[in-house]
Coordinates of all heavy atoms in Angstrom, one line a residue:
M1017 N -60.1 -20.3 -30.2 CA -58.8 -19.7 -29.9 C -58.6 -19.9 -28.4 O -59.5 -19.7 -27.6 CB -58.7 -18.3 -30.3 CG -58.7 -18.1 -31.8 SD -58.3 -16.5 -32.4 CE -59.5 -15.5 -31.5
D1018 N -57.4 -20.1 -28.0 CA -57.0 -20.2 -26.6 C -57.0 -18.8 -26.0 O -56.2 -18.0 -26.4 CB -55.7 -20.9 -26.5 CG -55.2 -21.2 -25.1 OD1 -55.8 -20.6 -24.2 OD2 -54.3 -22.0 -24.9
P1019 N -57.8 -18.6 -25.0 CA -57.9 -17.2 -24.4 C -56.6 -16.8 -23.7 O -56.3 -15.6 -23.5 CB -59.1 -17.3 -23.4 CG -59.3 -18.7 -23.2 CD -58.8 -19.5 -24.4
K1020 N -55.7 -17.8 -23.3 CA -54.5 -17.5 -22.6 C -53.3 -17.3 -23.6 O -52.3 -16.7 -23.2 CB -54.1 -18.6 -21.6 CG -55.1 -18.7 -20.5 CD -54.8 -19.9 -19.7 CE -55.9 -20.9 -20.0 NZ -55.7 -22.3 -19.6
K1021 N -53.5 -17.8 -24.8 CA -52.4 -17.7 -25.7 C -52.3 -16.2 -26.3 O -53.3 -15.6 -26.6 CB -52.6 -18.7 -26.9 CG -51.4 -19.0 -27.7 CD -51.8 -20.2 -28.5 CE -50.6 -20.7 -29.3 NZ -49.6 -21.4 -28.5
R1022 N -51.1 -15.7 -26.4 CA -50.9 -14.3 -26.8 C -50.5 -14.2 -28.3 O -50.7 -13.2 -28.9 CB -49.9 -13.6 -25.9 CG -50.4 -13.6 -24.5 CD -49.8 -12.5 -23.6 NE -49.8 -11.2 -24.2 CZ -48.9 -10.3 -23.9 NH1 -48.0 -10.6 -23.1 NH2 -49.0 -9.1 -24.5
A1023 N -49.9 -15.3 -28.8 CA -49.4 -15.2 -30.2 C -49.5 -16.7 -30.8 O -49.4 -17.6 -30.0 CB -48.0 -14.7 -30.3
Y1024 N -49.7 -16.7 -32.1 CA -49.8 -18.0 -32.8 C -48.9 -18.0 -34.0 O -48.6 -17.0 -34.6 CB -51.2 -18.1 -33.4 CG -52.3 -18.2 -32.4 CD1 -53.0 -17.1 -31.9 CD2 -52.8 -19.4 -31.9 CE1 -54.0 -17.2 -31.0 CE2 -53.8 -19.5 -31.0 CZ -54.4 -18.4 -30.5 OH -55.5 -18.5 -29.6
T1025 N -48.3 -19.2 -34.3 CA -47.7 -19.4 -35.5 C -48.8 -19.4 -36.6 O -49.9 -19.5 -36.3 CB -46.9 -20.7 -35.6 OG1 -47.9 -21.8 -35.5 CG2 -45.9 -20.9 -34.5
F1026 N -48.4 -19.3 -37.9 CA -49.4 -19.3 -38.9 C -50.2 -20.6 -38.9 O -51.4 -20.6 -39.1 CB -48.7 -19.1 -40.3 CG -48.4 -17.7 -40.6 CD1 -47.2 -17.1 -40.4 CD2 -49.4 -16.9 -41.2 CE1 -46.9 -15.8 -40.7 CE2 -49.1 -15.6 -41.6 CZ -47.9 -15.0 -41.3
E1027 N -49.5 -21.7 -38.6 CA -50.2 -23.0 -38.6 C -51.2 -23.0 -37.5 O -52.3 -23.5 -37.6 CB -49.2 -24.1 -38.5 CG -48.3 -24.3 -39.7 CD -47.2 -23.2 -39.9 OE1 -46.8 -22.5 -38.9 OE2 -46.8 -23.1 -41.0
Q1028 N -50.8 -22.5 -36.3 CA -51.7 -22.5 -35.1 C -52.9 -21.6 -35.3 O -54.0 -21.9 -35.0 CB -50.9 -22.1 -33.9 CG -49.9 -23.1 -33.4 CD -49.0 -22.5 -32.3 OE1 -48.8 -21.3 -32.2 NE2 -48.4 -23.4 -31.5
A1029 N -52.6 -20.4 -35.9 CA -53.7 -19.5 -36.2 C -54.6 -20.0 -37.2 O -55.9 -19.9 -37.0 CB -53.1 -18.1 -36.6
G1030 N -54.1 -20.6 -38.2 CA -55.0 -21.2 -39.2 C -55.9 -22.3 -38.6 O -57.1 -22.4 -38.9
E1031 N -55.3 -23.1 -37.8 CA -56.1 -24.2 -37.1 C -57.1 -23.6 -36.2 O -58.3 -24.1 -36.1 CB -55.1 -25.1 -36.3 CG -55.8 -26.3 -35.7 CD -54.8 -27.2 -35.1 OE1 -53.8 -27.6 -35.8 OE2 -55.0 -27.6 -33.9
A1032 N -56.8 -22.5 -35.5 CA -57.7 -21.9 -34.5 C -58.9 -21.3 -35.2 O -60.0 -21.3 -34.7 CB -57.0 -20.8 -33.7
V1033 N -58.7 -20.8 -36.5 CA -59.9 -20.1 -37.1 C -60.4 -20.9 -38.3 O -61.4 -20.5 -38.9 CB -59.5 -18.7 -37.6 CG1 -59.1 -17.8 -36.4 CG2 -58.4 -18.7 -38.6
G1034 N -59.8 -22.1 -38.6 CA -60.4 -22.9 -39.6 C -60.0 -22.6 -41.1 O -60.8 -22.9 -42.0
V1035 N -58.8 -22.0 -41.3 CA -58.3 -21.8 -42.6 C -56.9 -22.3 -42.7 O -56.2 -22.6 -41.6 CB -58.4 -20.3 -43.0 CG1 -59.8 -19.8 -43.0 CG2 -57.5 -19.4 -42.1
S1036 N -56.3 -22.4 -43.9 CA -54.9 -22.9 -44.0 C -54.0 -21.7 -43.6 O -54.3 -20.5 -43.7 CB -54.7 -23.3 -45.4 OG -54.6 -22.2 -46.3
S1037 N -52.8 -22.2 -43.3 CA -51.7 -21.2 -43.0 C -51.4 -20.3 -44.2 O -51.1 -19.2 -44.1 CB -50.5 -21.9 -42.4 OG -49.9 -22.8 -43.4
R1038 N -51.5 -20.9 -45.4 CA -51.3 -20.2 -46.7 C -52.3 -19.1 -46.8 O -52.0 -18.0 -47.3 CB -51.3 -21.2 -47.8 CG -51.0 -20.5 -49.2 CD -49.6 -20.0 -49.3 NE -49.5 -19.1 -50.4 CZ -49.0 -17.9 -50.4 NH1 -48.5 -17.4 -49.2 NH2 -48.9 -17.1 -51.4
T1039 N -53.5 -19.4 -46.5 CA -54.6 -18.3 -46.6 C -54.2 -17.2 -45.7 O -54.3 -16.0 -46.1 CB -56.0 -18.9 -46.2 OG1 -56.3 -19.9 -47.2 CG2 -57.0 -17.8 -46.2
L1040 N -53.8 -17.4 -44.5 CA -53.4 -16.4 -43.6 C -52.2 -15.6 -44.1 O -52.1 -14.4 -44.0 CB -53.1 -16.9 -42.2 CG -54.3 -17.5 -41.4 CD1 -53.9 -18.0 -40.1 CD2 -55.4 -16.4 -41.2
R1041 N -51.2 -16.3 -44.7 CA -50.1 -15.6 -45.3 C -50.5 -14.7 -46.4 O -50.0 -13.6 -46.5 CB -49.1 -16.6 -45.8 CG -48.3 -17.4 -44.7 CD -47.3 -18.4 -45.2 NE -46.9 -19.3 -44.2 CZ -46.0 -19.0 -43.3 NH1 -45.4 -17.8 -43.3 NH2 -45.6 -19.9 -42.4
R1042 N -51.5 -15.1 -47.2 CA -52.0 -14.2 -48.3 C -52.6 -12.9 -47.7 O -52.4 -11.8 -48.2 CB -53.0 -14.9 -49.1 CG -52.3 -15.8 -50.2 CD -53.2 -16.3 -51.3 NE -54.4 -17.0 -50.8 CZ -54.4 -18.3 -50.6 NH1 -53.4 -19.1 -51.0 NH2 -55.5 -18.9 -50.2
F1043 N -53.4 -13.1 -46.6 CA -54.0 -11.9 -45.9 C -52.9 -11.0 -45.4 O -53.0 -9.8 -45.4 CB -54.9 -12.3 -44.8 CG -56.3 -12.7 -45.3 CD1 -56.7 -14.0 -45.3 CD2 -57.1 -11.7 -45.8 CE1 -57.9 -14.4 -45.8 CE2 -58.4 -12.1 -46.3 CZ -58.8 -13.4 -46.3
V1044 N -51.8 -11.5 -44.9 CA -50.7 -10.7 -44.4 C -50.0 -10.0 -45.5 O -49.7 -8.8 -45.5 CB -49.7 -11.6 -43.6 CG1 -48.4 -10.8 -43.3 CG2 -50.3 -12.0 -42.3
E1045 N -49.8 -10.7 -46.6 CA -49.2 -10.1 -47.8 C -50.0 -9.0 -48.4 O -49.5 -8.0 -48.9 CB -49.0 -11.2 -48.9 CG -47.9 -12.2 -48.6 CD -47.9 -13.4 -49.4 OE1 -48.7 -13.5 -50.4 OE2 -47.1 -14.3 -49.2
R1046 N -51.3 -9.1 -48.3 CA -52.2 -8.1 -48.8 C -52.4 -6.9 -47.8 O -52.9 -5.9 -48.1 CB -53.6 -8.6 -49.0 CG -53.8 -9.5 -50.2 CD -55.2 -9.9 -50.5 NE -56.2 -9.6 -49.6 CZ -57.4 -10.1 -49.6 NH1 -57.7 -11.1 -50.4 NH2 -58.3 -9.7 -48.8
G1047 N -51.9 -7.1 -46.6 CA -52.0 -6.0 -45.6 C -53.3 -6.1 -44.8 O -53.5 -5.1 -44.0
D1048 N -54.1 -7.1 -44.9 CA -55.3 -7.2 -44.2 C -55.1 -7.8 -42.7 O -56.0 -7.6 -41.9 CB -56.3 -8.2 -44.9 CG -56.7 -7.6 -46.2 OD1 -56.7 -6.4 -46.4 OD2 -57.0 -8.4 -47.1
L1049 N -54.0 -8.4 -42.5 CA -53.7 -9.0 -41.2 C -52.2 -8.7 -41.0 O -51.4 -8.8 -41.9 CB -53.9 -10.5 -41.3 CG -53.7 -11.4 -40.1 CD1 -54.6 -11.0 -38.9 CD2 -53.9 -12.9 -40.4
A1050 N -51.9 -8.4 -39.7 CA -50.5 -8.1 -39.4 C -49.8 -9.2 -38.7 O -50.3 -9.9 -37.9 CB -50.4 -6.8 -38.5
A1051 N -48.5 -9.4 -39.1 CA -47.7 -10.4 -38.4 C -46.6 -9.6 -37.6 O -46.2 -8.5 -38.0 CB -47.0 -11.3 -39.4
K1052 N -46.1 -10.2 -36.6 CA -45.0 -9.7 -35.8 C -43.9 -10.8 -36.0 O -44.1 -11.9 -36.4 CB -45.3 -9.6 -34.3 CG -46.4 -8.6 -34.0 CD -46.0 -7.2 -34.3 CE -47.1 -6.2 -33.9 NZ -46.8 -4.9 -34.1
Y1053 N -42.7 -10.4 -35.6 CA -41.5 -11.3 -35.8 C -40.8 -11.5 -34.5 O -40.4 -10.5 -33.8 CB -40.6 -10.9 -36.9 CG -41.3 -11.0 -38.2 CD1 -42.1 -10.0 -38.7 CD2 -41.1 -12.1 -39.0 CE1 -42.7 -10.1 -39.9 CE2 -41.7 -12.2 -40.2 CZ -42.6 -11.2 -40.7 OH -43.2 -11.3 -41.9
I1054 N -40.5 -12.8 -34.1 CA -39.7 -13.1 -33.0 C -38.4 -13.6 -33.7 O -38.4 -14.7 -34.3 CB -40.3 -14.2 -32.1 CG1 -41.6 -13.7 -31.5 CG2 -39.2 -14.7 -31.1 CD1 -42.3 -14.8 -30.8
N1055 N -37.4 -12.8 -33.7 CA -36.2 -13.0 -34.6 C -36.7 -13.0 -36.0 O -37.2 -12.1 -36.5 CB -35.4 -14.1 -34.2 CG -34.7 -13.9 -32.8 OD1 -34.3 -12.8 -32.5 ND2 -34.7 -14.9 -32.0
S1056 N -36.6 -14.2 -36.7 CA -37.1 -14.3 -38.1 C -38.4 -15.1 -38.2 O -38.9 -15.3 -39.2 CB -36.0 -14.9 -38.9 OG -35.8 -16.2 -38.5
K1057 N -38.9 -15.5 -37.0 CA -40.1 -16.3 -37.0 C -41.4 -15.5 -36.9 O -41.6 -14.7 -36.0 CB -40.1 -17.3 -35.8 CG -41.3 -18.2 -35.8 CD -41.2 -19.1 -34.6 CE -42.4 -20.0 -34.5 NZ -42.3 -21.0 -33.5
P1058 N -42.3 -15.5 -37.9 CA -43.5 -14.7 -37.9 C -44.5 -15.3 -37.0 O -44.7 -16.6 -36.9 CB -44.0 -14.7 -39.3 CG -43.5 -16.0 -39.9 CD -42.2 -16.3 -39.2
V1059 N -45.2 -14.5 -36.2 CA -46.3 -14.9 -35.4 C -47.5 -13.9 -35.6 O -47.2 -12.8 -36.0 CB -46.0 -15.0 -33.9 CG1 -44.9 -16.1 -33.6 CG2 -45.5 -13.6 -33.4
I1060 N -48.7 -14.3 -35.3 CA -49.8 -13.4 -35.3 C -50.3 -13.3 -33.9 O -50.6 -14.3 -33.2 CB -50.9 -14.0 -36.2 CG1 -50.4 -14.2 -37.6 CG2 -52.2 -13.1 -36.2 CD1 -51.4 -14.9 -38.6
L1061 N -50.4 -12.0 -33.4 CA -50.9 -11.8 -32.1 C -52.3 -12.2 -32.0 O -53.1 -12.0 -32.9 CB -50.7 -10.3 -31.7 CG -49.3 -9.8 -31.6 CD1 -49.4 -8.3 -31.3 CD2 -48.4 -10.5 -30.7
A1062 N -52.7 -12.8 -30.8 CA -54.1 -13.2 -30.6 C -55.0 -12.0 -30.8 O -56.1 -12.1 -31.4 CB -54.3 -13.8 -29.2
S1063 N -54.6 -10.8 -30.3 CA -55.5 -9.6 -30.4 C -55.7 -9.2 -31.9 O -56.7 -8.8 -32.3 CB -54.9 -8.5 -29.6 OG -53.6 -8.2 -30.0
E1064 N -54.6 -9.4 -32.7 CA -54.7 -9.1 -34.1 C -55.6 -10.1 -34.8 O -56.4 -9.7 -35.7 CB -53.3 -9.1 -34.7 CG -53.2 -8.9 -36.2 CD -53.7 -7.5 -36.7 OE1 -53.6 -6.6 -35.9 OE2 -54.1 -7.4 -37.9
L1065 N -55.5 -11.3 -34.5 CA -56.3 -12.3 -35.1 C -57.8 -12.1 -34.8 O -58.6 -12.2 -35.6 CB -55.8 -13.7 -34.6 CG -56.4 -14.9 -35.3 CD1 -56.1 -14.9 -36.8 CD2 -55.8 -16.2 -34.7
E1066 N -58.0 -11.8 -33.5 CA -59.4 -11.5 -33.1 C -60.0 -10.3 -33.8 O -61.1 -10.3 -34.3 CB -59.5 -11.3 -31.6 CG -60.8 -11.1 -31.0 CD -61.7 -12.3 -31.1 OE1 -61.2 -13.4 -31.0 OE2 -62.9 -12.2 -31.3
A1067 N -59.2 -9.2 -33.9 CA -59.6 -8.0 -34.6 C -59.9 -8.3 -36.1 O -60.9 -7.8 -36.7 CB -58.6 -6.9 -34.5
W1068 N -59.0 -9.1 -36.7 CA -59.2 -9.5 -38.1 C -60.5 -10.2 -38.3 O -61.3 -10.0 -39.2 CB -58.0 -10.3 -38.6 CG -58.2 -10.8 -40.0 CD1 -58.1 -10.1 -41.2 CD2 -58.4 -12.2 -40.3 NE1 -58.3 -11.0 -42.2 CE2 -58.5 -12.2 -41.7 CE3 -58.5 -13.3 -39.6 CZ2 -58.7 -13.4 -42.4 CZ3 -58.8 -14.5 -40.3 CH2 -58.9 -14.5 -41.7
L1069 N -60.8 -11.2 -37.4 CA -62.0 -12.0 -37.5 C -63.2 -11.1 -37.4 O -64.2 -11.2 -38.1 CB -62.0 -13.0 -36.4 CG -61.1 -14.2 -36.6 CD1 -61.1 -15.1 -35.4 CD2 -61.6 -15.1 -37.8
E1070 N -63.2 -10.1 -36.5 CA -64.3 -9.2 -36.3 C -64.5 -8.3 -37.5 O -65.6 -7.9 -37.7 CB -64.1 -8.3 -35.0 CG -64.2 -9.1 -33.7 CD -65.5 -9.7 -33.5 OE1 -66.5 -9.1 -33.9 OE2 -65.6 -10.8 -32.9
S1071 N -63.5 -8.1 -38.2 CA -63.6 -7.2 -39.4 C -64.1 -7.9 -40.6 O -64.5 -7.2 -41.6 CB -62.2 -6.6 -39.8 OG -61.4 -7.5 -40.4
L1072 N -64.2 -9.2 -40.6 CA -64.7 -9.9 -41.8 C -66.2 -9.7 -42.0 O -67.0 -9.4 -41.0 CB -64.5 -11.4 -41.6 CG -63.0 -11.8 -41.5 CD1 -62.9 -13.3 -41.2 CD2 -62.3 -11.5 -42.8
P1073 N -66.7 -9.8 -43.2 CA -68.1 -9.5 -43.5 C -69.0 -10.6 -42.9 O -68.6 -11.7 -42.6 CB -68.2 -9.6 -45.0 CG -67.0 -10.3 -45.5 CD -65.9 -10.1 -44.4
S1074 N -70.2 -10.2 -42.6 CA -71.2 -11.1 -42.0 C -71.9 -12.0 -43.0 O -72.6 -12.9 -42.7 CB -72.3 -10.3 -41.2 OG -71.6 -9.6 -40.1
E1075 N -71.8 -11.5 -44.2 CA -72.5 -12.3 -45.3 C -71.4 -12.7 -46.3 O -70.4 -12.0 -46.5 CB -73.5 -11.4 -46.1 CG -74.6 -10.9 -45.2 CD -75.6 -12.0 -44.8 OE1 -75.8 -12.9 -45.6 OE2 -76.1 -12.0 -43.7
P1076 N -71.6 -13.8 -47.1 CA -70.6 -14.2 -48.1 C -70.4 -13.2 -49.1 O -71.4 -12.5 -49.5 CB -71.3 -15.5 -48.7 CG -72.4 -15.9 -47.8 CD -72.8 -14.7 -47.0
V1077 N -69.2 -13.0 -49.6 CA -68.9 -12.1 -50.7 C -69.2 -12.8 -52.0 O -68.8 -13.9 -52.2 CB -67.4 -11.7 -50.6 CG1 -67.1 -10.7 -51.8 CG2 -67.1 -11.0 -49.3
R1078 N -69.9 -12.1 -52.9 CA -70.3 -12.7 -54.1 C -69.6 -12.0 -55.3 O -69.3 -10.9 -55.3 CB -71.8 -12.7 -54.3 CG -72.4 -13.5 -53.2 CD -73.9 -13.7 -53.5 NE -74.5 -14.2 -52.4 CZ -74.9 -15.5 -52.2 NH1 -74.6 -16.3 -53.2 NH2 -75.4 -15.9 -51.2

């Protein structure tokens, strides 16, 4: 992730963490990740993305 960037589009955030934008949208829909809106355009704050990554399990879920 770019340390200077403050917000990402879903596509940029997905690219930054190695998942699809659709995967991130599902996490937002479930309430696990928060999106903000610039007018009608959703973005994910860099701080929110970092906190979400830190909250993920250290071992694979089985």
